[in-house]
Amino acid sequence: MPPKAAPAVVEPTSAVQTLWNAYKDHTTDRLKFIDAFLVFLMLSGIVQFAYCVLVTTFPYNAFLSGFSSTVGQFVLTASLRSQVNPENKNEFKDVSPERAFADFTIGSIVLHFFVFNFLG
Amino acid sequence: MPTAFPLPSDLSPATVSNTASLLRIVALALISGAAIASRLFAVINFESIIHEFDPWFNYRATRVLAAKGFYEFWNWFDPTAWYPLGRVVGGTVYPGLMATSGVIYNLLHALNLPVDIRNICVMLAPGFSALTAWATYMFTKEMKDESAGLLAAAFIGIVPGYISRSVAGSYDNEAIAIFLLMFTFYCWIKALKLGSALFGTLAAVFYFYMVAAWGGYVFITNMIPLHGLVLILMGRFTSRLYVAYSSWYVIGTLSSMQVPFVGFQPVSTSEHMAALGVFGLLQLVAFTQLVRSHVSSKQFQDLLLIAVVTTGLLGAAAFVGLTYAQKIAPWTGRFYSLWDTGYAKKHIPIIASVSEHQPTAWPSFFMDLQFLIFLFPAGVVLCFHQLRDEHIFVIIYAVMASYFAGVMVRLMLTLTPVVCVASAVAFSSLLDTYLDAAEPEEEVAEASGTAGTPAVASKKSKKAAPQAEAGNAFTDIVAAAASAKKGDSPKVKAIYGLDTRLAIIVNALGMLAFFVFHCTWATSNAYSSPSVVLASTNQDGSQHIIDDFREAYYWLRQNTPETAVVMSWWDYGYQIAGMADRPTLVDNNTWNNTHIATVGKAMSSSEEVAYPILRKHDVDYVLVIFGGLLGYSGDDINKFLWMVRIAQGVWPEEIQEPNYFTPQGEYRVDDKASRAMRESLMYKMSYYRFAELFGGGPATDRVRNQQVPKVGPTLDYLDEAYTTENWIVRIYEVRKEDLLGRDLKSANAFAKGKKRKRSKPLSRRRALL
């Protein structure tokens, strides 16, 4: 999700700069690590989607499973991120970080089971 | 603290909770037993037999699965259905039901329990109804508490609205689908409450099972996004919603595409686009929230809001654009017929012709739900009172399902669970309020005046917190209503004395008792007929079994070559394939409208027109259902107008519906019947030699209460092959072309003329045997 377009209209540098600084200052290293993975997944998804639009959709199920695997992994990781984020502690009263990671693992396994089945 | 009745005071909390959980387990076990037992009327009154129409196909497919294994089933091409087209069964079926039976079958055989596959199929629906009761218990527990859950489980266990589709032998997709529906919803609510990706994944896995089992999965596909959307619009977005919805949607959508019959629909049809849209919206909102938490500048946030709204609008525009560009399939006809009840009649007569697609009549709500239908709105109001996220779900579900149940009879089935849940919430609130032994202390109550409600709440502190809360909910509503009427300051509303309590409780228990009586009566009388076997009552009250259908199907099975093609109206296709094991032209999988219209045309045109059609399709036997002798109203003459209409849809020049009515616009089969009617193949086959049965007396058709002509129709191109005991099923053999090249009519006339010169032999009815 590249949201920088809208802020770029007014005060392009300063607003994004503030955001970036705030992010750097207030995010723990763990979350930054997760974010790096998220960015990688997003790029991978964009590449696949561009291929699908520009070149061919031909093995449609293969495209769908590849794209779903990035999107799915992205949202599962994003879920993990929000669950282990200390700011959300009172929202996830019953989900400890360990539990969140276990959930993440199970979700990913199930997701990739279907991905492999669908690759064809 | 004063109490209305003495309470034991020497019990430790641990004892109380242990006893309560033991009682819950016992109650659930008993409810499961009751749910299974009440579905066995069909087996006890008749026999262990597969019911109705669609189950016969499911049963046949399951037999293939059990005998040949899963891969064979998956690749099964059935050349005998839709002759001569055939049907790719593996790709046009929801395999969940058959797979479930297959797994159970193999499991039992692995345990050296040689159970017949038919018995597994017959008992599958009752077995799953017990699981449904459990799933409803879990679901309702999330809404209120365990006692409401138990009530809901008991309601869903015996409510006729669900039993109607799940009696023993009713081996249809709905048998397992309602359990899956409730369990998916439970997982969804749980995921939303906890913010757990595990429950989201579980919801997705059960959603996958549901997709594999029933076309009604689209209901879940739209219910959960709708719930998510409403929560977002109410400003109730939380990270929990994001976690629950994202994990459900991604895994659920990918897994649903594994079912061949569904294929790429989840990414290409309008029915599934709402889920995708809400998924995208959630990503946007979640991202906005994240940015917000880092930057607090007002201007920045405004810009962000505009960006989100713009993206949302762009997404909607892209959806519309793609629909016009035909990248996304528009809504299907079945969907339109949900919103415009007249749509199907105009455009898709084949959907309108099915009785369970008709709008629901008011009495059937009472028949199917009895007193739950009165409690249902009260339960929904109670949900409004608390309005946690999960209550919003019940409210949306109630609104949507009520509408759909009003549109189509069969969708009563999706309404039933939410009615049970909401009624259980209402009923258990009532019981909570009136079973509570706490008495208000009068002087405090009168003194406190406006602070009445908290005072009551504090007195109920003895009870578990959520229960007291819910109990309050009910009292509050009563109080609010009462104070609104009086218009003065609210007074303490509480229950005084034993007599008031008894009056309410006895009434409530009375309602429950009547409910049980009603359910048992409705199940045993209305919903337990296999419809393959009919029952009537003799004059001495004993039961008389009418077994014409199986008689006819077994006659076909034993007296015709295996390749003999049987033509009948599509209702009987699955039964002929299942019981007679003969190829059919059309069956209940109504995928090819033209083929069905061809059969309709053959049935509704004259012999001369119909004969080439029959010959071109290699038809050897024609089978009609005729109820005129016995008064069986579901026969082909009553369905005849639908055949005409469907044929008219394809051949509007040759078949016209008005031709089949008398000039006065009446639908008649007697002397005044129109010419097209009298000459139609269906009429001739139904009434062929019917008048002879009455020995010269007036021949009465008992379904339509009309006297048919004394000189019945004659047949030149067909021979009567078999007629069952009560004339319900009549089978005709199609004559081959005349050996001398004459047309069959003149050949017939010639043969008759010859016979007349000799001594006319007595025509024997079953001569062709």
Side-chain angles (χ1 to χ4, degrees):
Chain A
M1 283 164 289
K4 313 292 189 286
V9 182
V10 201
E11 311 171 17
T13 44
S14 69
V16 175
Q17 200 71 41
T18 359
L19 175 64
W20 179 245
N21 288 336
Y23 172 76
K24 270 204 296 194
D25 295 344
H26 294 111
T27 315
T28 58
D29 285 345
R30 258 189 204 187
L31 292 187
K32 278 180 185 160
F33 178 63
I34 294 180
D35 286 340
F37 185 45
L38 287 177
V39 170
F40 161 72
L41 285 170
M42 203 162 72
L43 292 178
S44 157
I46 290 171
V47 169
Q48 290 184 40
F49 194 74
Y51 180 82
C52 157
V53 172
L54 298 176
V55 187
T56 176
T57 62
F58 165 54
Y60 196 43
N61 53 337
F63 160 70
L64 279 179
S65 55
F67 191 63
S68 313
S69 100
T70 51
V71 173
Q73 198 61 64
F74 181 89
V75 293
L76 286 174
T77 318
S79 304
L80 175 70
R81 187 194 191 282
S82 66
Q83 282 170 334
V84 297
N85 195 344
E87 284 172 26
N88 293 340
K89 200 148 221 170
N90 46 1
E91 263 197 50
F92 295 101
K93 289 191 191 89
D94 298 312
V95 185
S96 64
E98 292 78 15
R99 165 86 194 266
F101 190 72
D103 283 6
F104 168 73
T105 320
I106 292 174
S108 306
I109 290 172
V110 173
L111 174 73
H112 282 93
F113 170 77
F114 286 118
V115 167
F116 285 127
N117 191 39
F118 202 47
L119 270 177
Chain B
M1 179 164 49
T3 53
F5 45 89
L7 288 171
S9 53
D10 50 349
L11 292 174
S12 72
T15 321
V16 173
S17 72
N18 285 347
T19 319
S21 72
L22 176 70
L23 282 178
R24 275 200 294 276
I25 292 171
V26 171
L28 266 180
L30 288 175
I31 287 168
S32 304
I36 294 174
S38 65
R39 283 165 172 78
L40 295 184
F41 277 111
V43 173
I44 293 166
N45 287 350
F46 296 92
E47 59 189 282
S48 172
I49 186 182
I50 304 289
H51 290 193
E52 297 196 315
F53 307 104
D54 287 13
W56 274 101
F57 168 75
N58 299 331
Y59 171 54
R60 183 160 160 255
T62 311
R63 265 193 325 208
V64 171
L65 176 67
K68 296 184 181 162
F70 193 73
Y71 284 100
E72 214 36 48
F73 168 69
W74 205 243
N75 297 322
W76 181 23
F77 176 79
D78 182 8
T80 64
W82 294 90
Y83 186 89
L85 306 171
R87 175 183 177 190
V88 188
V89 177
T92 57
V93 80
Y94 289 105
L97 182 75
M98 299 102 191
T100 309
S101 313
V103 166
I104 296 174
Y105 177 79
N106 287 324
L107 194 77
L108 290 177
H109 279 243
L111 295 172
N112 289 322
L113 291 169
V115 182
D116 185 24
I117 186 75
R118 190 199 51 190
N119 285 324
I120 293 174
C121 294
V122 167
M123 295 306 293
L124 193 76
F128 265 84
S129 72
L131 288 175
T132 310
W134 173 72
T136 312
Y137 165 75
M138 301 295 275
F139 182 82
T140 318
K141 203 176 76 173
E142 298 301 318
M143 295 302 142
K144 189 169 170 289
D145 53 14
E146 283 88 353
S147 46
L150 283 178
L151 274 171
F155 289 158
I156 193 96
I158 57 171
V159 70
Y162 175 42
I163 283 191
S164 65
R165 315 293 307 223
S166 65
V167 292
S170 175
Y171 180 57
D172 211 344
N173 295 332
E174 291 92 332
I176 63 173
I178 295 303
F179 161 66
L180 297 171
L181 182 85
M182 285 319 279
F183 202 76
T184 312
F185 284 159
Y186 163 70
C187 289
W188 160 248
I189 292 298
K190 198 80 184 163
L192 183 65
K193 264 184 153 179
L194 298 180
S196 150
L198 174 70
F199 274 100
T201 311
L202 259 183
V205 170
F206 275 90
Y207 173 69
F208 164 62
Y209 194 178
M210 175 79 176
V211 175
W214 193 34
Y217 77 89
V218 182
F219 185 59
I220 303 184
T221 319
N222 288 300
M223 264 307 292
I224 293 182
L226 189 61
H227 186 210
L229 184 68
V230 169
L231 287 180
I232 295 174
L233 292 182
M234 288 173 79
R236 289 187 177 210
F237 172 82
T238 57
S239 301
R240 291 195 305 269
L241 175 64
Y242 177 83
V243 172
Y245 189 83
S246 300
S247 51
W248 168 75
Y249 178 74
V250 166
I251 300 177
T253 306
L254 183 63
S255 59
S256 66
M257 286 189 282
Q258 319 286 316
V259 180
F261 193 32
V262 177
F264 295 136
Q265 278 181 41
V267 289
S268 64
T269 57
S270 298
E271 281 92 337
H272 301 79
M273 282 302 134
L276 181 65
V278 172
F279 178 68
L281 187 67
L282 264 180
Q283 306 302 321
L284 281 178
V285 175
F287 187 75
T288 320
Q289 294 276 356
L290 183 70
V291 173
R292 259 192 182 177
S293 68
H294 287 295
V295 185
S296 49
S297 132
K298 181 81 180 71
Q299 192 189 22
F300 191 87
Q301 291 191 358
D302 286 349
L303 278 173
L304 213 52
L305 185 69
I306 293 168
V308 168
V309 171
T310 323
T311 325
L313 288 180
L314 278 180
F319 170 68
V320 175
L322 283 173
T323 311
Y324 272 105
Q326 295 183 338
K327 290 266 195 240
I328 299 175
W331 308 104
T332 58
R334 269 172 211 263
F335 179 83
Y336 281 125
S337 61
L338 278 182
W339 304 109
D340 176 8
T341 44
Y343 182 88
K345 216 164 207 171
K346 267 177 261 156
H347 302 279
I348 346 171
I350 203 143
I351 292 182
S353 75
V354 180
S355 65
E356 59 183 28
H357 290 169
Q358 303 299 324
T360 316
W362 283 108
S364 73
F365 279 97
F366 186 75
M367 173 80 176
D368 279 359
L369 302 166
Q370 220 241 356
F371 87 117
L372 300 183
I373 202 71
F374 311 130
L375 282 180
F376 172 49
V380 175
V381 167
L382 283 180
C383 286
F384 266 109
H385 204 76
Q386 301 194 4
L387 214 63
R388 294 198 301 270
D389 291 351
E390 60 267 29
H391 294 121
I392 295 176
F393 184 80
V394 170
I395 292 164
I396 299 172
Y397 185 1
V399 172
M400 300 304 286
S402 306
Y403 174 76
F404 290 141
V407 174
M408 260 191 210
V409 175
R410 69 182 297 193
L411 293 180
M412 186 68 114
L413 188 67
T414 50
L415 175 68
T416 306
V418 73
V419 168
C420 291
V421 170
S423 314
V425 167
F427 204 87
S428 124
S429 300
L430 183 83
L431 289 183
D432 281 347
T433 312
Y434 283 91
L435 283 179
D436 186 9
E439 288 255 303
E441 289 164 60
E442 295 206 17
E443 62 276 26
V444 179
E446 266 157 42
S448 61
T450 46
T453 323
V456 176
S458 70
K459 270 171 220 133
K460 283 181 179 174
S461 58
K462 191 162 53 70
K463 286 217 132 199
Q467 272 178 329
E469 213 174 281
N472 263 340
F474 192 80
T475 344
D476 280 1
I477 288 178
V478 176
S483 68
K485 239 182 242 168
K486 283 180 194 165
D488 56 11
S489 62
K491 282 191 172 179
V492 178
K493 299 292 168 193
I495 319 299
Y496 291 90
L498 215 49
D499 46 351
T500 27
R501 286 188 168 81
L502 272 180
I504 300 295
I505 297 298
V506 167
N507 267 310
L509 291 181
M511 286 208 292
L512 286 181
F514 278 117
F515 178 61
V516 172
F517 276 118
H518 173 82
C519 289
T520 317
W521 172 80
T523 308
S524 66
N525 283 303
Y527 292 131
S528 289
S529 166
S531 91
V532 177
V533 184
L534 307 168
S536 69
T537 317
N538 288 335
Q539 281 181 340
D540 59 355
S542 63
Q543 200 181 40
H544 177 64
I545 298 286
I546 297 162
D547 209 356
D548 280 35
F549 288 100
R550 285 195 290 182
E551 184 189 344
Y553 295 142
Y554 287 141
W555 182 87
L556 276 174
R557 197 186 187 108
Q558 287 168 354
N559 296 285
T560 62
E562 248 180 69
T563 49
V565 177
V566 181
M567 180 177 98
S568 72
W569 190 232
W570 60 263
D571 297 22
Y572 308 100
Y574 279 163
Q575 290 185 350
I576 294 171
M579 283 187 262
D581 196 21
R582 293 290 172 268
T584 54
L585 285 194
V586 291
D587 62 31
N588 312 46
N589 172 254
T590 50
W591 65 276
N592 189 329
N593 187 44
T594 318
H595 218 49
I596 292 179
T598 309
V599 174
K601 186 186 173 191
M603 294 290 197
S604 46
S605 36
S606 65
E607 267 188 284
E608 292 79 17
V609 180
Y611 186 67
I613 301 178
L614 300 183
R615 292 299 293 160
K616 271 184 201 157
H617 289 83
D618 295 344
V619 175
D620 296 304
Y621 292 92
V622 184
L623 182 148
V624 291
I625 307 295
F626 174 65
L629 181 66
L630 209 66
Y632 173 66
S633 60
D635 68 350
D636 276 347
I637 290 285
N638 274 2
K639 292 174 185 172
F640 188 44
L641 281 179
W642 287 110
M643 303 182 203
V644 173
R645 273 173 212 154
I646 290 168
Q648 186 182 5
V650 179
W651 291 280
E653 298 87 30
E654 294 170 61
I655 309 283
Q656 275 111 21
E657 191 182 339
N659 293 348
Y660 295 85
F661 289 101
T662 58
Q664 288 78 37
E666 290 167 303
Y667 185 62
R668 300 193 78 107
V669 294
D670 54 8
D671 294 321
K672 292 175 194 140
S674 70
R675 197 167 147 263
M677 181 78 189
R678 266 183 287 121
E679 289 190 349
S680 69
L681 197 63
M682 175 56 71
Y683 180 89
K684 283 188 169 183
M685 285 193 295
S686 291
Y687 293 105
Y688 183 61
R689 301 189 56 198
F690 180 63
E692 289 174 30
L693 206 61
F694 293 82
T700 315
D701 180 326
R702 288 204 189 139
V703 176
R704 288 150 285 266
N705 280 324
Q706 296 172 13
Q707 289 199 356
V708 299
K710 268 188 187 161
V711 182
T714 54
L715 283 167
D716 290 321
Y717 294 84
L718 301 166
D719 283 318
E720 185 180 10
Y722 190 73
T723 297
T724 55
E725 187 187 352
N726 300 299
W727 285 53
I728 288 185
V729 187
R730 310 196 68 183
I731 301 172
Y732 290 85
E733 186 174 16
V734 181
R735 283 193 190 172
K736 303 283 175 283
E737 270 88 4
D738 186 53
L739 287 174
L740 300 175
R742 301 166 294 181
D743 71 295
L744 284 172
K745 195 166 190 169
S746 52
N748 216 25
F750 182 70
K752 266 191 188 146
K754 227 175 176 182
K755 271 177 195 164
R756 204 162 286 141
K757 271 174 207 163
R758 290 198 230 139
S759 67
K760 189 180 167 189
L762 257 152
S763 59
R764 282 166 48 217
R765 192 152 64 87
R766 289 172 196 176
L768 271 164
L769 276 171

